[in-house]
C-alpha cells in the first residue's frame, strides 16, 4: 500500500511550516484532519515521520529523508496538471500540419494568421512537402494531421473531406481567351497546355473522358510544381489549370483565372489523421477552425453540406496541386 496524495501534501505542508496549526491553515483543513492524515501516512509507512512534543514539532530522521522526495513528486505532478490545464485552455500547445507546396504557400498561411489572432500562444508549424509525402508524415507522427487530395486508402490513415472546388483556367493578361464570355475545356485544347506530372494529368484526363469522350488534352509540357507551370504561363509559353485556392500565387505572376465549363470538374481535398491517435486540444481546435474557415469561401462548392463527414480516401477524386 502506498501513501496517498493527500497524505503526502499534508506531510509536506507540515514540514514546510513546522506547525500543525499553520499547515492546516495552508491546506484549508482543520487541525484534527491534518493530524489524521499524518497518522494515516505513518500507518501506511510503518514508521514515524514526525516527532511530537509539547514544545515543538519536528521531522524524524526518516521524515527528513522523505520530505525532499515527496516535495518533488508533488511539484512535478502539480506542474504537469497545470500544463494540461493550459493546453485545454489553448494558452499553450503545438500544432504541426503537413500540406502540399501550393497550399502551403497560399491558403494555409492565411488560415494560420487568422487562428493566431484568437490563440496567440498556440504554436503552429507548417510542413510543406510533396503531395506524395503528406500521408507518410502523418503516419510517422511527424505532424498532427495533413491536408491533401485523394490518396490510395489505407487502414492506418483516416480521411475527412475538407472542401471541394472547381478547376479554373490560368492564362496571361493579353491572351485571346480573356475575350471569351464562357471558357470550356474544348478551348483549352486550342493552346499549349502546361500540366503537372503524375496523377494530376492522369486523373484529369480520366475525368474529362468520362464526361465528354471526344475531349482530350495533349500537354505541351509536364512539370513537377505548380509554381513552375505558373512561371511558364507568365512567360507566354502556354496556359494551365489550377484550383481557386492558388489565387494569391496566380496574382503574384500577374496572371488571370477563369472558371472552366463543359464539363464542370471539381476536386476534393481531405484532412488526414493517423487512425487511433487522439489529437491534442490545440490540434483539435485548429482543425475545427480550418473547417470553418474554408466553409466561408465561395469556391468551396461543398459549402456546409457535410464537409466533415469521414470518408475513405478512395471515394473522391484528387489532384497533385
Amino acid at each position: 500500500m502506498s501513501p496517498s496524495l493527500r497524505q503526502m501534501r499534508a506531510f509536506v505542508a507540515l514540514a514546510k511550516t513546522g506547525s500543525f496549526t499553520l499547515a492546516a491553515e495552508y491546506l484549508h483543513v482543520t487541525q484534527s484532519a491534518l493530524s489524521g492524515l499524518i497518522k494515516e501516512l505513518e500507518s501506511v509507512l510503518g514508521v514515524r515521520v514526525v516527532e511530537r512534543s509539547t514544545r515543538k514539532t519536528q521531522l524524524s530522521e526518516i521524515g527528513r529523508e522523505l520530505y525532499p522526495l515527496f516535495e518533488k513528486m508533488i511539484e512535478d505532478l502539480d506542474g504537469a496538471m497545470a500544463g494540461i490545464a493550459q493546453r485545454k485552455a489553448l494558452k499553450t500547445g503545438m500544432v504541426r500540419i503537413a500540406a502540399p507546396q501550393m497550399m502551403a504557400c497560399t491558403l494555409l498561411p492565411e488560415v494560420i494568421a487568422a487562428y493566431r489572432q484568437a490563440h496567440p500562444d498556440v504554436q503552429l508549424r507548417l510542413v510543406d512537402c510533396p503531395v506524395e509525402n503528406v500521408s507518410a508524415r502523418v503516419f510517422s507522427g511527424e505532424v498532427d494531421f495533413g491536408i491533401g487530395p485523394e490518396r490510395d486508402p489505407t487502414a492506418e490513415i483516416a480521411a475527412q473531406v475538407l472542401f471541394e472546388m472547381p478547376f479554373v483556367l490560368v492564362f496571361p493578361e493579353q491572351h485571346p481567351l480573356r475575350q471569351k464570355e464562357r471558357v470550356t475545356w474544348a478551348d483549352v485544347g486550342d493552346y499549349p497546355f502546361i500540366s503537372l506530372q503524375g496523377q494530376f494529368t492522369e486523373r484529369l484526363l480520366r475525368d474529362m473522358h468520362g464526361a465528354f469522350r471526344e475531349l482530350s488534352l495533349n500537354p505541351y509540357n509536364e512539370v513537377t510544381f505548380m509554381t513552375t507551370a505558373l512561371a511558364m504561363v507568365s512567360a507566354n509559353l502556354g496556359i494551365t489549370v489550377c484550383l481557386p485556392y492558388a489565387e494569391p500565387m496566380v496574382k503574384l505572376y500577374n496572371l488571370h483565372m477563369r472558371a472552366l465549363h463543359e464539363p464542370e470538374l471539381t476536386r476534393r481535398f481531405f484532412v488526414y489523421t493517423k487512425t487511433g491517435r487522439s489529437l491534442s486540444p490545440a490540434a483539435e481546435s485548429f482543425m475545427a477552425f480550418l473547417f470553418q474557415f474554408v466553409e466561408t469561401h465561395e469556391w468551396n462548392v461543398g459549402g456546409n453540406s457535410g464537409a466533415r463527414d469521414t470518408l475513405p480516401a478512395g471515394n473522391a477524386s484528387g489532384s497533385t496541386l
Side-chain angles (χ1 to χ4, degrees):
M1 188 173 179
S2 301
S4 69
L5 181 60
R6 293 183 68 241
Q7 292 166 0
M8 287 191 290
R9 287 191 185 279
F11 171 71
V12 169
L14 180 60
K16 284 183 176 180
T17 61
S19 163
F20 277 87
T21 301
L22 295 177
E25 292 177 357
Y26 177 78
L27 294 176
H28 303 289
V29 298
T30 63
Q31 187 170 334
S32 60
L34 177 72
S35 180
L37 288 170
I38 297 298
K39 289 180 180 179
E40 290 174 5
L41 175 63
E42 292 178 328
S43 176
V44 169
L45 297 175
V47 294
R48 283 187 174 275
V49 295
V50 178
E51 301 290 351
R52 302 169 179 84
S53 68
T54 56
R55 295 184 177 181
K56 62 179 180 178
T57 299
Q58 63 182 17
L59 301 183
S60 67
E61 181 180 350
I62 292 179
R64 289 192 296 272
E65 294 177 3
L66 290 176
Y67 170 52
L69 299 177
F70 283 4
E71 183 180 39
K72 186 176 187 308
M73 290 171 62
I74 291 172
E75 288 178 351
D76 289 346
L77 178 61
D78 289 346
M81 297 304 295
I84 292 173
Q86 290 281 320
R87 292 189 180 191
K88 289 177 64 177
L90 298 180
K91 293 183 178 180
T92 61
M94 169 76 72
V95 185
R96 302 159 300 171
I97 316 106
Q101 181 217 24
M102 181 54 67
M103 178 173 285
C105 68
T106 53
L107 176 63
L108 280 177
E110 184 181 355
V111 179
I112 291 172
Y115 180 83
R116 290 200 64 182
Q117 289 185 353
H119 306 288
D121 296 322
V122 175
Q123 297 184 54
L124 298 148
R125 290 188 177 175
L126 176 58
V127 178
D128 55 342
C129 60
V131 68
E132 293 81 5
N133 293 348
V134 171
S135 293
R137 305 260 178 149
V138 174
F139 179 75
S140 69
E142 181 180 347
V143 298
D144 297 294
F145 62 88
I147 305 170
E150 177 192 4
R151 298 292 94 188
D152 293 333
T154 67
E156 295 82 7
I157 301 296
Q160 293 179 326
V161 179
L162 177 61
F163 59 70
E164 182 176 3
M165 57 176 58
F167 278 104
V168 292
L169 181 66
V170 181
F171 52 86
E173 183 174 359
Q174 302 302 325
H175 199 276
L177 287 175
R178 191 174 185 185
Q179 307 305 319
K180 291 183 66 86
E181 292 185 6
R182 181 181 176 87
V183 181
T184 68
W185 283 96
D187 296 321
V188 176
D190 295 334
Y191 302 93
F193 181 67
I194 301 168
S195 182
L196 298 184
Q197 296 174 352
Q199 293 188 26
F200 172 78
T201 301
E202 294 170 7
R203 294 179 186 275
L204 183 57
L205 291 175
R206 183 190 64 191
D207 292 348
M208 290 181 63
H209 185 69
F212 289 89
R213 293 186 178 275
E214 65 276 10
L215 283 180
S216 181
L217 283 178
N218 295 308
Y220 165 74
N221 203 329
E222 291 185 66
V223 298
T224 302
F225 300 108
M226 179 53 67
T227 48
T228 305
L230 295 177
M232 295 182 71
V233 173
S234 180
N236 292 303
L237 296 176
I239 59 176
T240 191
V241 296
C242 69
L243 297 175
Y245 72 75
E247 184 178 9
M249 190 62 64
V250 172
K251 289 183 176 179
L252 190 63
Y253 281 92
N254 296 315
L255 301 174
H256 293 271
M257 296 171 55
R258 288 282 299 276
L260 274 165
H261 305 281
E262 300 176 22
E264 309 288 340
L265 299 180
T266 63
R267 285 289 181 265
R268 286 192 287 180
F269 272 61
F270 296 81
V271 169
Y272 294 102
T273 54
K274 188 172 183 179
T275 304
R277 179 186 178 189
S278 299
L279 294 176
S280 67
E284 287 185 347
S285 170
F286 180 75
M287 184 184 292
F289 185 90
L290 173 65
F291 276 95
Q292 293 173 358
F293 190 94
V294 300
E295 284 177 358
T296 64
H297 284 70
E298 60 182 14
W299 44 248
N300 185 7
V301 297
N304 296 318
S305 57
R308 294 212 65 177
D309 292 341
T310 300
L311 300 174
N315 283 0
S317 297
S319 75
T320 56
L321 285 178

